[in-house]
Amino acid sequence: MRALERLYRRRVPLDDLATPELVRSLAAVSLETGRQVGVLAHRSGQVDYVIVGDAAKLMLPDIGRLRAAVGRFRGLRLVHTHLRGESLTRDDLVDLVRLRLDLVVAVQLAPGGEPRSLVYAFNVPADEGNPPYREVGPLPIGQAQLDVGRLMGDLEAEFARRARAREVAAEDGRAILVHVGDKSKGAGASREADESMRELRELARTAGTEVADCIVQLREQVDPKFVLGRGKLEDVVIRAIELDAGVLVFDRELSPAQASAIAKHTDLRVIDRSQLILDIFAQRAESRDGKLQVELAQLKYAMPRLTQKDDSLSRLTGGIGGRGPGETKLEIGRRRAKDRVTHLERQLKELAKQRAQRRRRRARHGIPVVAIVGYTNAGKSTLLNALTGAAVLAEDKLFATLDTRSRILRCGWAGWGEREVVMTDTVGFIRNLPKDLFAAFRATFEEAADADLLLHVVDASDAASDDHVRTVIDVLEDLELSHLPRLVVCSKVDLATPAQRSMLGRAHPDAVFVSAMDRETIRPLLAQMARELAEKWRLSAKGPEVEPASGETQPPF
């Protein structure tokens, strides 16, 4: 212990890797203990930490936050011993890159315990195909000379220059997407991983994040702590440094413990698929109803994760019955979150009553309702605009619109008199929709529950259209809407290949193929809708009974 304490009194000049005295002291303690011993030395020359590991590795302490300026390193270098004379290990290089250390120096010991040589590594700007570090040595103890101060100054200037010159296309920075699949599924696992990562990439783009890389790992079972294996996670850390990525996006819902463990191990921001979808909803919600639903879902998602915060602090309260430790920060956070959830649920119930009143008014007038449902980005809003002449936002993004939109479609020009139809656009479905978000938006689908007809929009140009159809059908069953009449509408046929159109035609013989860009393709859809709604119009109290024109088997267009 006294020998270890004396290491704190050593000085490490900025114009050298390590002094002979420090090297001899580290070697002597390692020989005595049979363990790796190291110091973290500051650029000022002072030893900030003395670390004792085992025979194979060191565990570095928590050394605080990164330096704030662009391109700056930690300002600390690690000098430690290697008992078996080995070179820098993978752990050494991961610590160098992940913690942004100035240098990692290994003192290689001979079998007798005397220092034999030095090997060191430092960070360099990453180029494609090259690691983000440079390793030098081994060098004999007397020949290992390096002006550390000058090297760090040059490197920090180069890192800062590259950071300023790098163009970041997305407003929320760069991210690496991670998918962990089930190897037991065989060839199906690779196909599922490709489709899942394609969708996750679109979600990230919609959220405003630039995708720097995609990592896929197939495992027999998910690692309970890190999801990925520890070695693969270290590869991801190095890759993130190479690509200047600050976010890891996992294509699954992480438990609070998993998210916390991965974030601590990587020093990167970690989000899962549910959190990414919630972020998109928070950006896209415009109506008061939508904003309340998103906030409710976010609170329910965050409440179990409050346990990962520091709950050791408490505040004192005064008065009778108030003396003592009081509430911890965790308890206060939970209580306020629960109060806010109760408040939001009460407001959403009031808004649901208002929507029900509007639906009853429409029902009294006998106006049929057609709800447009489908997978996200299938073309629902574009179809609504083409049918009704509306100007609803339509973008080539997932969840471009979240709020329910209702517009009137007048069918007079279609040969059915002055008939009207209420066309309702609903929020898009997606596989594995976060359960809290599904529960919050369940009220939104009440519009579809009172519909006389569902238009199930399918993107004909999407290679995964079959999976998307199954997802929509499953969601409709969960919402207890599968009993409603459903008309399959294959959109974007102008972008689909003949093979895709043929496959959809065989899978859905009664489907209508349309392109919102070509109005002529919409006429068969209107004709089919009119046939489906004819009985509703007959029972309507307004207007004469509707009959097709003489000699016509369908309305004239």
Side-chain angles (χ1 to χ4, degrees), residues 72 98 173 204 249 253 294 304 317 329 332 377 468 510 517:
R72 299 291 290 276
R98 180 173 66 92
V249 182
E253 184 167 349
V294 171
T317 58
K329 283 187 174 182
I332 294 171
N377 202 29
H468 295 174
D510 298 328
M517 301 295 105

Side-chain angles (χ1 to χ4, degrees), residues 12-29:
V12 185
L14 196 56
D15 59 356
D16 199 359
L17 281 171
T19 63
E21 294 80 12
L22 176 63
V23 171
R24 285 196 298 269
S25 298
L26 290 173
V29 178

Side-chain angles (χ1 to χ4, degrees), residues 63 210 507:
I63 52 180
E210 180 183 352

Side-chain angles (χ1 to χ4, degrees), residues 27 30-31 82-86 108-117:
S30 288
L31 179 62
H82 277 184
L83 275 67
R84 303 183 184 97
E86 66 271 28
Q108 298 174 314
L109 303 183
E114 64 275 7
R116 183 180 62 190
S117 55

Side-chain angles (χ1 to χ4, degrees), residues 138-164:
L139 302 173
I141 293 292
Q143 299 178 17
Q145 302 294 324
L146 178 68
D147 191 333
V148 176
R150 178 177 296 178
L151 175 64
M152 292 301 105
D154 293 343
L155 285 174
E156 287 185 338
E158 178 62 17
F159 271 92
R161 186 189 66 79
R162 292 202 178 197
R164 288 191 296 268

Side-chain angles (χ1 to χ4, degrees), residues 237-268:
V237 172
I238 293 178
R239 186 62 175 160
I241 297 297
E242 290 177 3
L243 301 175
D244 191 32
V247 183
L248 292 182
V249 182
F250 280 80
D251 188 26
R252 61 172 49 240
E253 184 167 349
L254 301 176
S255 69
Q258 286 173 335
S260 177
I262 296 170
K264 289 179 180 178
H265 189 77
T266 63
D267 283 343
L268 297 172

